[in-house]
């Protein structure tokens, strides 16, 4: 249970930040909310660009996006997440906000970054939670802003964070031989591209089905493991 401390703190920071954001939602005018969310979307784009510029194998990234997109479309992850978000939207209709959008957007933002992977592995292998504690501060602050504009869907994304990071932490002993520095670096670049796309979506510049591209993050793992056999 101690190994999950970092993830638990991360989840609580998102819940607390979301609660604060929801509580001040009514005090924000639509004008201010629109400006804030677009400003945050620019920050998300910047984070994605900075991570994507760390690329060392462009062809691997291209193949990852192409194959991952194919797999994602076949599974139609985007529709599954939207259906879940819409169910929550009907259940919490009185809470207001774009619940489905908040849940999907924040699930992706909080889960696909390098800190989520590296921090979870660190917690599971060494018992150190420094990376996840730092991530908790960042996620907590951003959740205040997101929840003030998108509502309770942001808080629901904490469930995704717990499942995702918790699984990596608990499986760290097995994953340490697979998620080497090279693998994590390539996964982070692909994840950063998805974050960049997500920022463009939030900004309203385009409508990319980012969830259907999620399998792309796994392709570098398959590539590096497969390369080890040849």
């Amino acid at each position: 249970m101690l190994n999950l401390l970092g993830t638990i703190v991360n989840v609580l920071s998102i819940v607390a930040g979301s609660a604060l954001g929801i509580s001040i939602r009514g005090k924000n005018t639509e004008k201010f909310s629109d400006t804030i969310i677009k400003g945050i979307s620019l920050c998300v784009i910047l984070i994605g660009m900075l991570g994507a510029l760390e690329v060392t194998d462009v062809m691997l990234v291209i193949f990852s996006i192409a194959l991952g997109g194919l797999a994602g479309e076949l599974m139609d992850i985007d529709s599954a997440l939207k259906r879940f978000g819409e169910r929550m939207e009907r259940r919490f209709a009185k809470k207001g906000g774009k619940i489905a959008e908040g849940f999907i957007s924040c699930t992706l933002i909080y889960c696909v970054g390098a800190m989520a992977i590296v921090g979870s592995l660190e917690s599971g292998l060494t018992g150190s939670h420094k990376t996840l504690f730092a991530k908790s501060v960042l996620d907590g602050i951003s959740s205040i802003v997101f929840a003030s504009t998108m509502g309770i869907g942001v808080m629901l994304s904490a469930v995704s964070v717990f499942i995702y990071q918790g699984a990596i932490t608990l499986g760290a002993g097995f994953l340490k031989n697979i998620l080497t520095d090279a693998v994590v670096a390539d996964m982070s670049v692909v994840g950063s591209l998805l974050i960049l796309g997500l920022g463009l979506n939030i900004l309203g510049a385009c409508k990319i089905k980012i969830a259907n591209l999620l399998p792309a993050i796994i392709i570098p793992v398959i590539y590096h493991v497969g390369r080890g056999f040849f």
Side-chain angles (χ1 to χ4, degrees), residues 36-82:
I36 291 171
I37 201 66
K38 285 182 178 178
I40 289 296
S41 69
L42 291 176
C43 295
V44 172
I45 290 172
L46 175 61
I47 292 170
M49 288 177 61
L50 291 175
L53 289 175
E54 298 294 323
V55 61
T56 57
D57 190 337
V58 176
M59 291 306 299
L60 175 58
V61 174
I62 294 173
F63 278 116
S64 295
I65 294 295
L67 295 176
L70 177 62
E73 283 293 335
L74 290 173
M75 293 184 284
D76 204 3
I77 302 171
D78 185 76
S79 292
L81 285 175
K82 280 183 178 178

Side-chain angles (χ1 to χ4, degrees), residues 59-172:
M59 291 306 299
L60 175 58
V61 174
I62 294 173
F63 278 116
S64 295
I65 294 295
L67 295 176
L70 177 62
E73 283 293 335
L74 290 173
M75 293 184 284
D76 204 3
I77 302 171
D78 185 76
S79 292
L81 285 175
K82 280 183 178 178
R83 285 194 296 272
F84 176 79
E86 287 165 358
R87 284 199 298 271
M88 294 298 102
E89 196 156 343
R90 288 191 294 271
R91 183 171 183 178
F92 297 101
K94 295 181 181 179
K95 297 291 184 180
K98 305 173 183 178
I99 297 178
E101 181 184 349
F103 169 71
I104 296 172
S105 297
C106 290
T107 288
L108 296 174
I109 290 172
Y110 298 149
C111 289
V112 302
M115 291 183 79
I117 300 172
V118 175
S120 298
L121 286 173
E122 183 181 64
S123 291
L125 294 173
T126 68
S128 173
H129 310 293
K130 291 181 180 179
T131 301
L132 287 186
F133 285 163
K135 180 176 182 291
S136 298
V137 175
L138 296 174
D139 292 353
I141 294 172
S142 63
S143 66
I144 297 174
V145 179
F146 282 125
S148 70
T149 57
M150 291 188 281
I152 200 170
V154 178
M155 185 182 292
L156 293 174
S157 69
V159 176
S160 303
V161 171
F162 181 76
I163 294 173
Y164 178 73
Q165 292 183 181
I168 295 177
T169 298
L170 295 177

Side-chain angles (χ1 to χ4, degrees), residues 28-38 149:
N28 288 337
T29 65
E30 185 176 340
K31 175 184 175 181
F32 290 138
S33 296
D34 183 64
T35 300
I36 291 171
I37 201 66
K38 285 182 178 178
T149 57

